[in-house]
Amino acid sequence: MMDQEQSRHERAAHWCVIMQSGAPTAAEKKGFADWINENPLHLQEYRAVLSLWTEAADYGAALDPTSDVIRLYPAHKGVIAKDADGRGRRFYGFFMAMKGGRMAAAFAVIMLMALAFLSFPPLGGGVLVSQIADNLFGPAVEPFQTRKGESRTIALDDGSVIQLNTLSKLEVRFSPHERTIMMLEGEAYFDVAKDPQRPFVVRTDKASVQAVGTEFNVRLRPDDLAVTVVEGKVMLRQIKADDAKQTKAWETSLSRNEQAVLSRFDGGADNDPLIRRSDDVPLEKVVSWRQNKLIFEAARLGDVVADFNRYNTMEIILADEDLADLSISGVFDSRDPEAFSHTLEAFAPVEALVFGRSRILIKNIQDNI
């Protein structure tokens, strides 16, 4: 870990080596972007060191950028320049660190460094991480994740809002040309701010959903992907795998109250996805999770229990397999599995045994006879 007393130019050299000598990790990219945002002068420092790096590479074996940038910069006191506030600040050169013919090269490099510092005006405090990251190494990735029973509202820089359901995971990657969300797991509701110049695209490993200004829900499960439009219009497109060159590309548009469920595997020889469309979806049921509600209409008890267990650490267990096929209808609080179990006792021949705050065992009443 770098010493906290190290100066900005040493940190700039440190980050230059990390960002230029290999593939930086996501954590390193975030750390670099955070450092850039700490002070408007940091970007100037980095650009100057990057210029040095480029120049050093041109001198061949006499100066190896990867190993020598930090060692030679800074080395000794050199030129004095001015900060944005007018105070003096020293540039450091190679003059005492290099011998013979390398002195001329070092002098040229240090002058380029000074010009780089003086040529880039100080940036305001509102430097966007996405702009810096996109210019230097591509759009920054912001990961978001929820635990069991947790939901989270995410306000994005463009004015869009994401509500992330329980046990869900996604990544946000904004660039000047596209607003990209990589959906990795779970469910999310998207309220998209209009920006025709930058499409808003939600991607999974099998399909992408593109919108401009709209509201829609995406649920990603191991066996399918469900996209439901609440307002506006989206375009659902297939993403072809690299090893599936014969797979035919497809796309379908969805409008308000429409839903498409894409099955990952249909067993077909051509590996085309199986798509089920619905043109009149009960939206209140699909997005009821946003109000901590679960709505069921003639649903299997086994599926109802699975839904409750997604939201709660207090697990519901069916003691008898035949209970899984009981038909359940109603509106329930997703955070209260105990209340659901007692309601179930009133309408079905079952008994709910509650074990502290850890589990609820549902069993046939006949088992007590």
Side-chain angles (χ1 to χ4, degrees), residues 28 77 120 125 217 279 329:
E28 288 171 335
K77 295 180 181 180
F120 293 109
N217 194 84
D279 298 329
S329 297

Coordinates of all heavy atoms in Angstrom, one line a residue, residues 28 77 120 125 217 279 329:
E28 N -8.8 -1.9 -9.4 CA -7.7 -0.9 -9.7 C -8.3 0.2 -10.6 O -8.0 1.4 -10.4 CB -6.6 -1.6 -10.5 CG -5.7 -2.4 -9.5 CD -4.7 -3.3 -10.3 OE1 -5.0 -3.6 -11.5 OE2 -3.7 -3.7 -9.7
K77 N 15.4 17.4 -8.0 CA 14.7 18.6 -8.2 C 14.9 19.2 -9.6 O 16.0 19.1 -10.2 CB 15.1 19.6 -7.2 CG 14.7 19.2 -5.8 CD 15.2 20.2 -4.7 CE 14.8 19.8 -3.3 NZ 15.2 20.7 -2.3
F120 N -2.7 21.8 -19.9 CA -4.0 21.3 -19.6 C -4.5 22.2 -18.5 O -4.0 22.2 -17.4 CB -3.9 19.9 -19.1 CG -3.6 18.9 -20.2 CD1 -2.3 18.3 -20.2 CD2 -4.5 18.7 -21.2 CE1 -2.0 17.4 -21.2 CE2 -4.2 17.8 -22.2 CZ -2.9 17.2 -22.2
G125 N -14.5 20.8 -10.2 CA -14.7 19.8 -9.2 C -15.7 18.7 -9.7 O -15.7 17.6 -9.2
N217 N -39.6 -4.0 -16.6 CA -39.1 -4.9 -15.6 C -38.4 -6.1 -16.2 O -38.8 -6.6 -17.3 CB -40.3 -5.4 -14.8 CG -39.9 -6.1 -13.5 OD1 -39.7 -5.5 -12.5 ND2 -39.8 -7.4 -13.5
D279 N -49.8 -10.3 -24.5 CA -50.1 -8.9 -24.9 C -51.0 -8.2 -23.9 O -51.3 -7.0 -24.1 CB -50.8 -9.0 -26.3 CG -49.9 -9.5 -27.4 OD1 -48.7 -9.3 -27.2 OD2 -50.4 -10.1 -28.3
S329 N -54.2 -18.6 -4.0 CA -54.5 -17.3 -4.6 C -54.5 -16.3 -3.4 O -54.9 -16.6 -2.3 CB -55.9 -17.3 -5.3 OG -55.9 -18.2 -6.4

